[in-house]
């Protein structure tokens, strides 16, 4: 029995697309992707994810500025997936049953997970249709700015964003660490020497960046682990402060 169908093959062939064609996606296709999102798994059936489709170019430009990725504005379809406790809070409030338990850390983690699962469902569906996708975690560079731009109410938080469109590039596939470093059975496996374990992967990543950047960059994964720790943005470091400002009880 063949263990890989067309959808699995498209997942194994995943690449982040940073350049889309200008062509708009048919509206029925966009609605199909939203239907996929709507049927995604949701914790305890509470459906605590909402999606904002950004079509206003000026808002896209501001989002691109926040994220520091100019190509964000060129995404033909741009979704922001929102961890949303507001809707259920209001449903309870209208019954006189509102409670802090509706907006506590446990419910927030459930909502955040709902949003991320929904986003990945849409990404898998889009790529299975031959479309390109790009996750924009850069919206967390300034979550408060995103909240203001999208007029997000209390008890909500932007979890992630996804750009979708027709591919206008075929980039190299970015290598992944071997499964043996990330897949364990029954208990977590701690290695005696991590640098030794990833030595081959370091070399693969160095070759990848050398080829992708035409010799201008040649990073090892082990070096990136350190350099990215040293580039913490203030607004990202204070993300839990902003979550609290949104009324989430952490």
């Amino acid at each position: 029995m063949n263990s890989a169908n067309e959808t699995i093959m498209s997942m194994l062939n995943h690449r982040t697309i940073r350049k889309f064609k200008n062509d708009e996606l048919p509206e029925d296709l966009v609605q199909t992707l939203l239907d996929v999102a709507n049927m995604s798994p949701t914790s305890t059936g509470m459906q605590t994810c909402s999606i904002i489709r950004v079509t206003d170019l000026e808002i896209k430009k501001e989002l691109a500025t926040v994220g520091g990725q100019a190509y964000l504005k060129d995404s033909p379809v741009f979704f922001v997936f929102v961890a949303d406790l507001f809707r259920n809070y209001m449903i309870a409030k209208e019954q006189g049953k509102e409670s802090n338990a509706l907006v506590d850390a446990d419910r927030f983690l459930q909502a955040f997970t709902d949003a991320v699962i929904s986003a990945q469902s849409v990404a898998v569906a889009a790529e299975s249709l031959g479309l390109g996708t790009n996750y924009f975690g850069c919206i967390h560079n300034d979550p408060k700015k995103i909240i203001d731009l999208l007029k997000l109410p209390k008890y909500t938080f932007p979890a992630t964003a996804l750009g979708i469109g027709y591919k206008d590039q075929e980039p190299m596939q970015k290598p992944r660490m071997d499964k043996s470093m990330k897949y364990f059975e029954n208990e977590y496996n701690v290695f005696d020497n991590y640098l030794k374990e990833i030595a081959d992967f370091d070399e693969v990543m160095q070759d990848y960046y050398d080829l992708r950047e035409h010799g201008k960059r040649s990073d090892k994964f082990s070096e990136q682990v350190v350099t990215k720790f040293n580039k913490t943005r203030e607004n990202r470091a204070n993300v839990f402060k902003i979550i609290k400002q949104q009324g989430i009880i952490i």
Side-chain angles (χ1 to χ4, degrees), residues 151-204:
K151 297 181 171 58
L152 298 183
K154 284 275 192 178
Y155 315 133
T156 65
F157 189 79
T160 191
L162 186 68
I164 306 169
Y166 295 110
K167 294 181 283 188
D168 197 23
Q169 62 174 185
E170 288 293 339
M172 295 171 60
Q173 187 173 46
K174 195 170 188 178
R176 294 292 194 265
M177 195 180 294
D178 190 79
K179 286 187 295 184
S180 63
M181 293 293 296
K182 300 182 286 185
Y183 169 72
F184 314 124
E185 191 165 339
N186 296 324
E187 62 182 31
Y188 192 93
N189 187 15
V190 176
F191 296 93
D192 293 330
N193 188 320
Y194 280 84
L195 289 178
K196 180 180 178 181
E197 293 290 339
I198 67 166
D200 289 343
F201 180 63
D202 258 349
E203 188 174 331
V204 169

Side-chain angles (χ1 to χ4, degrees), residues 3-66:
S3 61
N5 59 21
E6 289 185 11
T7 300
I8 291 175
M9 290 306 297
S10 75
M11 295 173 75
L12 292 174
N13 195 43
H14 167 75
R15 289 161 170 78
T16 294
I17 301 301
R18 294 176 175 83
K19 186 179 181 184
F20 296 113
K21 294 179 180 178
N22 292 328
D23 302 350
E24 294 295 325
L25 272 64
E27 187 58 28
D28 63 333
L29 193 157
V30 176
Q31 292 304 316
T32 295
L33 294 177
L34 289 171
D35 288 339
V36 167
N38 197 35
M39 291 305 298
S40 294
T42 170
S43 180
T44 66
M46 288 295 97
Q47 303 178 64
T48 49
C49 169
S50 290
I51 300 172
I52 296 179
R53 179 183 178 184
V54 180
T55 57
D56 187 313
L57 181 58
E58 293 307 311
I59 296 178
K60 281 187 181 179
K61 286 179 179 177
E62 291 197 60
L63 291 171
T65 299
V66 169

Side-chain angles (χ1 to χ4, degrees), residues 35 56 87-88 189 216 221 233 249:
D35 288 339
D56 187 313
R87 178 169 49 251
N88 287 352
N189 187 15
K216 296 178 182 177
F221 179 79
R233 295 181 175 87
I249 300 171

